[in-house]
Amino acid sequence: MILRLIAFLALLTVFADAVEVRTEQAQHDIAVLTEQKIISSPAYWSEHVVTGGKCDGAKVSALLMHAAGLFRKAANREDAIAVLQERGIIGAPEYWLQNTAPGKACDGGNVAAVLNRMVARLPSKRVPPLTAIPLEAVPAKQLRESYDIIIAGAGTGGTGAAIQAARMGRSVLLLDETDYIGGQMNAAGVTSMDEGVTLVRERGLYRELSGQIAAHYQPLNITSETAYWMRHVCVEPRVGRHLLHMFLADAKGKGTLDLALRTVVSKVIKNGDTVTGIEITATTPTGTETRQIDCQVLVDATEWGDVIPLTGARYRVGNCTNDSIDPKRAIQDATWTAVVKQYPQGVPSGFLITQAPPGYTENVHKAFTKSLVEGDKVDTKVKPWDFATFIGYRGMPDSSRSGDAPPITRTHLNYNNDFHITIGEVESPALRQRAARAMRLKTLHLVYYIQNTLGKKDWAVADDEGYDTPYNRAAIDAWLSDSPELAPYREILYHFSTMAYARESRRIIGLHTLTASEIDRRPEHTPTTFPNTVAIGDYAVDLHGSMAPKYLEMDLDHEADIPDKFGGHGLGPFGIPFECFIPEKIDGFLPAEKNISQSRMANGATRLQPSTLLMGQAAGTIAALAVQKHIPPRQVDPVQVQDVLLDAGDTLFTKTVIDIPRSSPDWKAVQFVLTRGLMQLDERKFNPQDEVSAAEFAAMVKELPAAQNPPSIEATVTRVEAARKLSTWVHEGLLK
């Protein structure tokens, strides 16, 4: 799958002599760049960025200079082109050097492609930094006897749910089995954000997170767009962890948001089919402590969906349901990452591996040679990758050194160290522990290969990410007690990531199951429009291993849904409806991670950090409204959920509206009516001044939940006036 990603990115950077322009997409991109003040004459670009059109070379040169300045100041045209090539916005510098000279012209299709990449790679907007004191963990014995909402798992989904619910005034308890919050993003070390190719940085909590990452690094003169060869947001795990603690503290304010670490849900308490509380088991310095805590809503945001079986809810795992599990069937590969960095003054004592670790066989060595070789030139099209391409793939900012990237001096190992996982490793704690140890060993082998075969003896596992926590040390010590031959590598292993990068988990069987056909975004397809959309994903269907039909759910997906390459079935926004968060029968329970109701293939597109953060925000909203109204989550009105999320700055409509930008005071109202399907776009235009009759308005009202004093109009109004009236009615009426 990774190689398919690289092939897709390589395709994006190759220009033909003339490129066909998708007019609707080009108009959208021009509108976005105009709103961002990168384009000042949209009429000119709309006229010339067409199939067969020609754009004045001097104007294009000025545009490239302006765009390059978003990343760093360019001294001249040549410098600007180099910056934009570095950022993956242009791929043929000789073309632009030749055709942006005075008196020359650029093909409209080539300019359209560049505009599209500019939109996809706009730098994160710096926001005022959070000032709250980072939230500290609470010992188990100091936890309250009852909380409105309990969330198991402090990854992106869990923290997103906790932040949103606390902001809505609910009392929240957030648990995590480790002592390093952030789940796959931080604890597993996968801080290279898989953002797809859309304006995901404009959505909800991910908009806030990417802004806070920029606010952290920009004062240090360090870019945070280092992943995927200087194209996507990335963050050092310890910085990401710190920011989440600050987000949680800020959301808590004067309310209740408690964080309990090294704590798991060991039992779920129910009254019939309704969850009423949990039993927790907490690891303390002196042993373990067990206690019962009541709640109105329980949220499973664990990386493997470990709370679902305790609730009695039906679920899927791999291509099985929980009543007919075959433990030998494959799910997506998992990876145990390690953050590595360059040590220009020498690798710390004990971090240089001089002897091959146990299990480093000739076959292991040959496998690495097929994917990674020595070299210092980034070229994603040449296989096997050289070291420069390899470290740029998951490249991180590096605040331990002076200067900015490039070059990349910190990355995490997450390319050629995937590990085969079966349903058995999900269901059995013993098998999962065995797999975790084998994954760590595979990554240790990779470190040895890099240091010795590639000769990178100035690169080693980073000693400053804070992974050597009591939780991690205890796990490594237990392993080395069983495998004493690994004792010489103890200090290195202490600094590996805290948990596995699990790409797939158990998934509830909900009121609706999201499938691959519903998120198909190929040009000849349109993803399903869900009126009850509460979150948006935008990544391609991407399964690591187990893509063969025999491992898929052929009752949900079809062999024709399998993409032939990364992005083969499209990238870009798709909706995730409210019903995917609601279990069939169990009340007082919600998922907030990879464990929503979806097929395996749909999970391949929703499992990434931006998506899970936004799914968590949706789950937190549903839970908070359920508590507020004293009803089960399934009885919460999705319209109310949407109203809250839009107020929180989340985007719910899957297309950008080019004549109602986010800065417009009518943005929320238009998002609402479009998401609900009450009004339609005309080639991405809302046409706010067009008229709506009284009869048309009455028909829109009938599509909304019944309530007292529904709005009406006696004469025609404009479309934007109708949108305002409907949105205001929902906000002021239904939420009372």
Side-chain angles (χ1 to χ4, degrees):
M1 286 299 177
I2 292 172
L3 295 180
R4 292 209 283 263
L5 167 61
I6 306 314
F8 180 80
L9 291 175
L11 179 63
L12 285 181
T13 58
V14 176
F15 289 93
D17 290 336
V19 180
E20 183 177 355
V21 177
R22 294 172 56 195
T23 303
E24 184 179 336
Q25 182 66 52
Q27 293 302 312
H28 157 263
D29 296 336
I30 291 168
V32 171
L33 295 172
T34 300
E35 182 184 4
Q36 301 291 329
K37 303 188 185 310
I38 297 169
I39 283 178
S40 58
S41 302
Y44 173 84
W45 299 104
S46 295
E47 179 183 351
H48 292 84
V49 180
V50 295
T51 303
K54 295 294 181 182
C55 300
D56 179 73
K59 290 183 181 295
V60 176
S61 177
L63 175 65
L64 298 183
M65 286 285 290
H66 192 166
L70 296 173
F71 303 102
R72 66 171 184 264
K73 187 175 180 179
N76 50 46
R77 179 171 62 103
E78 291 76 11
D79 191 21
I81 290 171
V83 170
L84 296 176
Q85 182 188 21
E86 175 187 285
R87 296 290 176 151
I89 292 173
I90 65 174
E94 61 281 356
Y95 174 90
W96 300 100
L97 287 169
Q98 177 181 342
N99 291 283
T100 58
K104 296 288 188 177
C106 299
D107 178 75
N110 287 344
V111 175
V114 166
L115 296 182
N116 184 249
R117 282 175 228 146
M118 286 182 185
V119 169
R121 294 175 186 145
L122 287 170
S124 299
K125 296 174 183 175
R126 181 177 171 182
V127 297
L130 294 168
T131 58
I133 298 173
L135 186 69
E136 295 186 359
V138 176
K141 62 182 179 182
Q142 295 180 20
L143 297 176
R144 295 168 48 166
E145 294 183 355
S146 176
Y147 293 84
D148 293 335
I149 301 164
I150 297 177
I151 302 167
T156 46
T159 54
I163 291 165
Q164 182 65 26
R167 287 177 175 176
M168 294 175 68
R170 302 302 103 204
S171 62
V172 178
L173 172 60
L174 178 62
L175 313 173
D176 199 81
E177 67 173 307
T178 77
D179 48 12
Y180 202 107
I181 71 170
Q184 72 174 25
M185 183 177 77
N186 297 330
V190 188
T191 61
S192 49
M193 301 300 173
D194 292 296
E195 299 173 314
V197 294
T198 66
L199 290 171
V200 65
R201 297 176 203 169
E202 292 295 314
R203 300 183 197 141
L205 277 176
Y206 188 68
R207 174 188 176 94
E208 296 183 44
L209 176 62
S210 58
Q212 289 298 328
I213 291 172
H216 175 85
Y217 284 110
Q218 286 179 10
L220 304 175
N221 293 317
I222 295 176
T223 181
S224 55
E225 281 96 15
T226 53
Y228 304 109
W229 308 283
M230 307 298 295
R231 297 170 190 179
H232 287 210
V233 170
C234 197
V235 62
E236 294 159 290
R238 67 185 184 281
V239 174
R241 175 195 191 188
H242 176 75
L243 290 176
L244 289 186
H245 278 279
M246 294 187 73
F247 267 110
L248 292 169
D250 182 77
K252 176 179 181 178
K254 296 182 180 180
T256 300
L257 198 175
D258 290 338
L259 174 65
L261 301 178
R262 301 191 72 182
T263 303
V264 298
V265 177
S266 48
K267 183 179 180 181
V268 172
I269 312 300
K270 295 193 301 180
N271 181 6
D273 283 336
T274 301
V275 173
T276 60
I278 61 170
E279 181 181 275
I280 62 168
T281 299
T283 300
T284 70
T286 58
T288 60
E289 180 178 337
T290 301
R291 55 174 299 189
Q292 183 174 323
I293 303 175
D294 297 332
C295 66
Q296 295 184 55
V297 179
L298 172 64
V299 178
D300 183 356
T302 60
E303 297 296 319
W304 297 95
D306 285 334
V307 177
I308 297 174
L310 302 179
T311 69
R314 288 209 308 147
Y315 64 91
R316 295 184 173 89
V317 57
N319 63 353
C320 299
T321 55
N322 61 291
D323 55 356
S324 58
I325 288 176
D326 180 352
K328 295 182 180 179
R329 294 188 187 177
I331 65 167
Q332 285 207 60
D333 294 347
T335 307
W336 206 287
T337 76
V339 178
V340 295
K341 71 172 187 175
Q342 187 178 36
Y343 290 87
Q345 305 304 318
V347 169
S349 175
F351 279 56
L352 191 63
I353 306 175
T354 57
Q355 298 293 325
Y360 191 89
T361 64
E362 184 62 26
N363 286 338
V364 169
H365 180 79
K366 286 181 178 179
F368 286 141
T369 64
K370 293 178 180 179
S371 59
L372 178 59
V373 296
E374 188 178 354
D376 57 5
K377 181 181 179 181
V378 174
D379 190 340
T380 62
K381 298 184 287 295
V382 175
K383 306 296 185 300
W385 281 357
D386 71 9
F387 188 68
T389 306
F390 174 78
I391 62 174
Y393 176 49
R394 302 284 188 171
M396 291 180 174
D398 189 353
S399 54
S400 70
R401 70 179 182 99
S402 60
D404 194 10
I408 293 296
T409 56
R410 183 185 297 256
T411 192
H412 73 268
L413 306 181
N414 181 13
Y415 170 62
N416 50 356
N417 52 336
D418 283 3
F419 189 87
H420 179 72
I421 295 292
T422 66
I423 292 174
E425 275 90 38
V426 179
E427 294 292 312
S428 166
L431 292 179
R432 192 187 300 177
Q433 181 190 66
R434 186 174 70 182
R437 293 175 174 182
M439 282 189 271
R440 289 186 184 98
L441 183 59
K442 186 171 186 177
T443 300
L444 186 69
H445 290 163
L446 179 55
V447 175
Y448 171 78
Y449 176 84
I450 290 169
Q451 291 180 336
N452 291 273
T453 301
L454 301 189
K456 301 299 180 182
K457 296 186 181 296
D458 56 342
W459 282 79
V461 173
D463 62 357
D464 54 2
E465 293 294 356
Y467 282 136
D468 55 335
T469 65
Y471 174 89
N472 215 13
R473 284 176 172 264
I476 298 304
D477 288 345
W479 178 22
L480 302 194
S481 177
D482 294 337
S483 303
E485 68 276 12
L486 291 169
Y489 311 97
R490 187 186 305 269
E491 194 64 26
I492 296 173
L493 293 168
Y494 279 162
H495 290 84
F496 273 24
S497 303
T498 303
M499 63 166 58
Y501 174 21
R503 295 179 175 89
E504 185 174 341
S505 74
R506 301 177 181 93
R507 295 157 283 129
I508 69 161
I509 297 177
L511 299 185
H512 179 82
T513 300
L514 191 68
T515 63
S517 63
E518 292 175 327
I519 64 173
D520 192 329
R521 288 148 287 162
R522 286 175 289 179
E524 66 274 19
H525 294 75
T526 301
T528 301
T529 299
F530 296 106
N532 289 343
T533 293
V534 293
I536 289 180
D538 76 341
Y539 205 65
V541 172
D542 182 18
L543 270 66
H544 284 231
S546 66
M547 183 70 95
K550 66 179 180 179
Y551 296 124
L552 300 176
E553 297 152 306
M554 292 294 102
D555 57 326
L556 299 174
D557 297 323
H558 308 90
E559 191 166 349
D561 294 322
I562 302 175
D564 59 348
K565 60 182 178 181
F566 181 87
H569 283 211
L571 295 92
F574 60 86
I576 303 171
F578 170 88
E579 291 79 7
C580 289
F581 293 83
I582 307 300
E584 290 176 308
K585 296 180 179 179
I586 301 299
D587 281 324
F589 176 63
L590 293 168
E593 251 288 343
K594 298 177 283 286
N595 55 354
I596 66 168
S597 184
Q598 58 184 335
S599 70
R600 289 197 63 232
M601 291 187 68
N603 167 76
T606 65
R607 62 181 177 79
L608 297 314
Q609 316 93 324
S611 298
T612 52
L613 183 61
L614 296 173
M615 287 153 53
Q617 186 173 16
T621 302
I622 298 168
L625 286 172
V627 172
Q628 175 186 324
K629 294 181 174 295
H630 307 288
I631 57 176
R634 72 180 65 249
Q635 293 181 14
V636 171
D637 191 333
V639 171
Q640 298 173 16
V641 178
Q642 292 170 329
D643 184 78
V644 172
L645 290 170
L646 289 170
D647 275 340
D650 203 359
T651 306
L652 297 180
F653 189 59
T654 56
K655 292 184 178 180
T656 299
V657 186
I658 65 177
D659 53 356
I660 304 290
R662 175 179 281 274
S663 57
S664 168
D666 295 312
W667 178 84
K668 176 191 171 182
V670 171
Q671 280 279 312
F672 174 73
V673 297
L674 291 174
T675 302
R676 298 298 307 173
L678 304 178
M679 296 185 184
Q680 308 299 322
L681 288 182
D682 178 13
E683 295 186 345
R684 300 212 184 200
K685 291 183 179 180
F686 184 69
N687 297 323
Q689 298 308 312
D690 285 2
E691 293 184 343
V692 173
S693 69
E696 290 171 330
F697 187 83
M700 296 177 196
V701 171
K702 288 182 179 179
E703 295 297 320
L704 294 172
Q708 293 182 345
N709 302 316
S712 62
I713 59 175
E714 296 182 359
T716 59
V717 296
T718 65
R719 281 167 59 87
V720 75
E721 287 171 338
R724 289 174 195 154
K725 197 172 185 68
L726 291 167
S727 178
T728 300
W729 174 58
V730 167
H731 183 74
E732 295 181 354
L734 292 179
L735 294 184
K736 287 183 179 178

